[in-house]
Each structure stands twice: as structure tokens, then as C-alpha cells.
Amino acid sequence: MVDRADVVVIGSGGFGASTAFHLAERGVQSVVIDRHAPASQTSPRAAGLVSHARTTDLMVELVKRASAKLERFTEDTGQPLDWTRSGSLKVARRPEDVPVIEEDVARGLRLGLDVEQLSGAEAHDLNPFLEDDDVLAVLRVGDDLYFDPAQVAIGYVRGAEARGATVLANTTVTRVHVEDGRVEAVETDGGTIRTQIVVDAAGAWTRQVAAASGIEIPLVPTRHQLFVTEPLDAVRADLPIVRIMDAAVYVRPCDGGLLWGGYEERPRFVDMDALPRDFDMAATPLDADVLRGLAEDVRRQLPILSEAGVREHRGGLPTMTADGQHLVGPAPAATGFFVAGGCNVAGLSISPAIGDALAAWIVDGAPPLDLEPLSIERFRGEGIAEEELERDAAWQYRHFYGAV
Ligand SMILES: Cc1cc2nc3c(=O)[nH]c(=O)nc-3n(C[C@H](O)[C@H](O)[C@H](O)COP(=O)(O)OP(=O)(O)OC[C@H]3O[C@@H](n4cnc5c(N)ncnc54)[C@H](O)[C@@H]3O)c2cc1C
């Protein structure tokens, strides 16, 4: 095993793999360590949706950068990525959600997005699976796209390896050794690697990896799941993604059928310390009744979800934060300790931009744009009690589409 590295990246999911790739593009060869097979955990289980209608200018900018990188993924990495710029339709069923759509349109136009407000009937013309019963307003986002989630992290892993990065699979980081407030080494079950820079991109395990060095990262692994239906007549790959705001349900075309999922009111949080040491995301406990309940909630707008046969049921453990924003950047408690976590069920789509920004930060000493709103520092001071974290994270989870 290597015993020295310029940078050690812990985790080869979307966040870690993209960071390693963008470091390699800048001539820095990292060692990427993963306790499982590369890119095999939450990342390949995602829905693969990219959403540009975000609540802050920073997030819109990051998503714009990420989607541009997804569209030229093959050119940049030499690895395959199937993607479709289908656009999307975000649906308000309650009067209180209509102003949110109006704000989305105003912000989107100001930031150069292809957005407009439509009626339910106009939206139905764009995607016939969406019925206009009880639909009050629809946000159309022409920029939105979807991609094959299984290709992104592994593509970045292979692209990084081709540019000189070393990937150590089936190797667990047990502790980041910090001395006098500086990262000195990474200890693994296969030996120690001396390094001064570490990136904790351990997904559901991000908190445990940091805690082993006394660093608190307030995020909570949260079960999220989806169905892929049997092929259906009338599904076309370019049908726009549909999102129902208050029900927090999404649907997009997938291999001739539909892929759909949603965010339940009371999400299931998971304590990683309570799971077996060799826990694999493939063993995430799923619950079809949660999805059936969500299908019932949107039966009048998306009756197909209650009718279509299911070909695949999958899920994983993305991580939620108390304010719904990612956790990206240096951990103030230890020089050289960087974090890319708190994906809030939207990390894969933004990973091209986050990895690029972190790589620039590590190499140049500063990020290419102001990422202060995503800093770990924001939860410092009094910290955040576990109860409060779970309460706020549950709210953020259910309100991902901006419903009030
Ligand atoms: C059903 C579902 C739908 C989703 N839909 C979307 C979507 O439409 N759009 C979107 O952007 N996101 C979506 N997501 C969220 C997305 O999957 C995550 O945000 C993203 O994959 C997080 O990537 P990651 O790199 O943080 O985690 P992971 O992919 O889990 O990678 C973390 C890696 O760290 C490794 N690791 C952990 N601990 C250690 C250790 N101690 N030593 C070594 N290695 C370690 C793990 O083995 C793992 O491979 C969805 C998620 C699910 C489950």
C-alpha cells in the first residue's frame, strides 16, 4: 500500500470521485480510499435529477456549473454518461405554493434560466402523464435534465485513475490523525498513509469519519427510495420531469418506463453506529408502503403512479442537514481537513461543481466562488442538539421543492 499522498480522499461516491478527478486535472494525484467497491454506495442508487430552481443565487450558480459539466462529461473524463435535457414541470396544488413559483420565475429570469409559469393544461400538453386536476400553477424549467446515476461517480473514479490517482477499494479509514491542529496521516485497516490534506466524502459515514478525529459534522443519514416502473406506452425519453411541490413527489422517464420517488413527512433516520461494520447500501431497509402512500397523495395529478407495475425498488442513505444546505469546505478544527457532505438528496447532480470547487480550494488555497453559506462553520458556536437536527432535517426533507 502507498504510505504517502498529497491528498487522501475518503469515499469514492459522487463527491469524493469528482474531487479526485478535478484534483488530477490540476496535476494533483490523490489516493482515493473506499471501504466498499468504488462508487457502489448511495451514488448509483440516485434518481439522477438535476434541478435548477433553487432558493439561493449560489445554489443556482453551482447547479448551472454542474449541469454544464454533466453535459460534457464524456468529453472531459473519457467515460460514458447518458443524459437528457428534458426540462421539468414543478406543480403547485395549494394557493400558498403559487407565490413560490412566481419567485422561482423571477429569480430564474434574473439568473438567465429558461423558466416560465404555465397553467395545468399547458403542462399536461408537455407531459400527458400529468393531469391538471387541482393544479393551480406550474413552473417550467427548460434547463433541467436527468442522467444515468450509475455512471457519474464511477466515471469520475476511472477518469481520476487514468490521470494518475490511486484507488484503494475495500479499505476502511479508521481515523484521520490530527496533531497540533493539523492533519498528519490517515489510518486505515490496511496501514497508515502520511498526508497533510484529507477530504471526508464518506457519504452516510461522513460524521463517523470526522468524529474519530474529534470533528463534529451535523448531518443525519436519511433513507430515501424510489420505484422504476415496467415499460409503458407513451413514455418518451424527452418527457419533462414532474415534481409535485407539497407532496414532494418526482417522476421522470427511465428505460421506457417511469422512475419516481418522494419525500415522506416522517423520514427514517439511520444511526450508522448501530449498523454492522460491513453494512452495504444494498441492504438499506426499504418500505414500499411509503411510496404507495405518496402515489395515493398525487393520484389526481399522476394516476399512473398508482397503476403502473414496479420493475425495481431501490434506496440508499443520503444525508440531511438542519438548513437543507450542503456542508462543503475546510473543517475549522483541523488544518487540512476538508468535508464534502450533507448532500440533502441532491449531491450527485451537484458533485461535478462541488468536486471542482474543492479541488481549486485545495490547490489554490481559496474556492473559485464564495462557498461561505455551505461552510461547516455555520453550525459552530453552540452547536446543534441531535433532536433539533432531526426535527429541522425532517422539515427540509419534506420541503425540498419549496412548498411552504
Ligand atoms: C433513491 C435516491 C434518489 C436520489 N435522487 C437524487 C437525484 O435525483 N439527484 C441528486 O443529485 N441526488 C440524488 N440522490 C442523492 C445522491 O445519491 C447523493 O447525494 C450522493 O450520491 C451522495 O454522494 P456521496 O459521495 O456523498 O455518498 P456515497 O455515494 O455513498 O459515497 C460515499 C463513499 O464513502 C465510502 N466510505 C464511507 N466510510 C468510509 C471509510 N471509513 N473509509 C473508506 N471509505 C468510506 C463509502 O463506501 C461510499 O462509497 C438520491 C439518493 C437516493 C438514495
Side-chain angles (χ1 to χ4, degrees):
M1 196 169 98
V2 284
D3 60 3
R4 194 169 287 274
D6 289 338
V7 180
V8 170
V9 178
I10 306 167
S12 62
F15 280 150
S18 168
T19 305
F21 174 79
H22 288 98
L23 280 168
E25 270 203 321
R26 287 172 169 80
V28 175
Q29 307 315 341
S30 59
V31 174
V32 183
I33 305 180
D34 203 296
R35 69 195 301 158
H36 290 292
S40 64
Q41 296 301 293
T42 294
S43 291
R45 295 181 164 75
L49 307 179
V50 183
S51 170
H52 287 73
R54 298 304 182 85
T55 51
T56 66
D57 289 13
L58 170 62
M59 287 308 297
V60 174
E61 175 57 29
L62 284 170
V63 174
K64 280 165 83 173
R65 289 178 184 219
S67 66
K69 279 177 169 290
L70 288 167
E71 292 190 349
R72 46 166 219 270
F73 190 85
T74 300
E75 220 176 304
D76 288 353
T77 64
Q79 302 299 318
L81 179 64
D82 300 321
W83 56 270
T84 305
R85 190 179 277 271
S86 60
S88 73
L89 302 165
K90 186 167 102 169
V91 176
R93 305 188 295 183
R94 307 178 310 171
E96 60 267 41
D97 292 331
V98 176
V100 177
I101 286 192
E102 289 164 355
E103 280 168 35
D104 283 337
V105 171
R107 186 184 310 103
L109 290 175
R110 179 167 58 75
L111 298 174
L113 297 179
D114 171 19
V115 287
E116 64 179 332
Q117 186 171 330
L118 301 180
S119 66
E122 288 169 320
H124 171 79
D125 287 345
L126 294 176
N127 187 332
F129 287 104
L130 172 65
E131 303 296 341
D132 66 352
D133 278 11
D134 302 329
V135 172
L136 301 182
V138 179
L139 168 73
R140 185 190 67 80
V141 184
D143 309 81
D144 279 357
L145 57 139
Y146 67 86
F147 58 86
D148 181 346
Q151 295 177 312
V152 171
I154 196 66
Y156 275 139
V157 170
R158 291 186 179 135
E161 267 186 310
R163 285 159 184 76
T166 303
V167 178
L168 302 177
N170 304 311
T171 303
T172 300
V173 170
T174 47
R175 191 166 79 105
V176 176
H177 188 62
V178 177
E179 216 173 275
D180 296 331
R182 296 193 71 89
V183 169
E184 290 291 336
V186 170
E187 291 167 17
T188 78
D189 55 7
T192 299
I193 304 174
R194 298 205 71 75
T195 186
Q196 295 203 314
I197 299 175
V198 103
V199 179
D200 178 357
W205 293 268
T206 302
R207 199 172 183 179
Q208 275 70 19
V209 167
S213 308
I215 297 168
E216 172 55 13
I217 307 289
L219 51 77
V220 51
T222 308
R223 192 230 0 241
H224 187 68
Q225 47 182 344
L226 57 78
F227 278 158
V228 181
T229 75
E230 299 290 354
L232 297 159
D233 290 343
V235 169
R236 297 189 327 260
D238 64 348
L239 287 179
I241 299 157
V242 175
R243 302 181 171 101
I244 310 287
M245 287 176 74
D246 62 298
V249 166
Y250 56 83
V251 56
R252 66 138 164 117
C254 179
D255 300 331
L258 296 170
L259 175 157
W260 73 273
Y263 303 75
E264 64 270 34
E265 191 87 47
R266 285 180 204 80
R268 177 166 174 175
F269 297 130
V270 174
D271 175 3
M272 302 309 286
D273 287 328
L275 296 175
R277 279 176 64 85
D278 60 351
F279 174 80
D280 188 292
M281 284 302 156
T284 304
L286 302 178
D287 182 355
D289 285 347
V290 169
L291 292 171
R292 300 271 176 234
L294 290 167
E296 191 53 38
D297 189 349
V298 300
R299 186 186 275 274
R300 286 167 68 85
Q301 294 75 40
L302 292 167
I304 190 70
L305 304 189
S306 302
E307 294 158 8
V310 173
R311 136 168 68 136
E312 185 186 351
H313 183 192
R314 68 173 188 249
L317 298 175
T319 55
M320 295 301 300
T321 61
D323 61 3
Q325 302 295 321
H326 307 306
L327 285 158
V328 178
T335 305
F337 195 112
F338 288 79
V339 174
C343 75
N344 288 283
V345 207
L348 192 60
S349 54
I350 205 162
S351 64
I354 296 294
D356 186 34
L358 265 186
W361 205 332
I362 290 166
V363 175
D364 305 334
L369 73 176
D370 181 7
L371 295 181
E372 209 269 324
L374 310 185
S375 73
I376 292 133
E377 194 97 41
R378 72 187 191 273
F379 293 116
R380 250 182 142 199
E382 290 166 23
I384 179 163
E386 204 59 27
E387 227 169 70
E388 199 186 330
L389 170 61
E390 293 196 357
R391 184 200 61 210
D392 293 354
W395 192 93
Q396 295 294 342
Y397 183 79
R398 175 67 175 182
H399 293 81
F400 185 73
Y401 296 138
V404 287

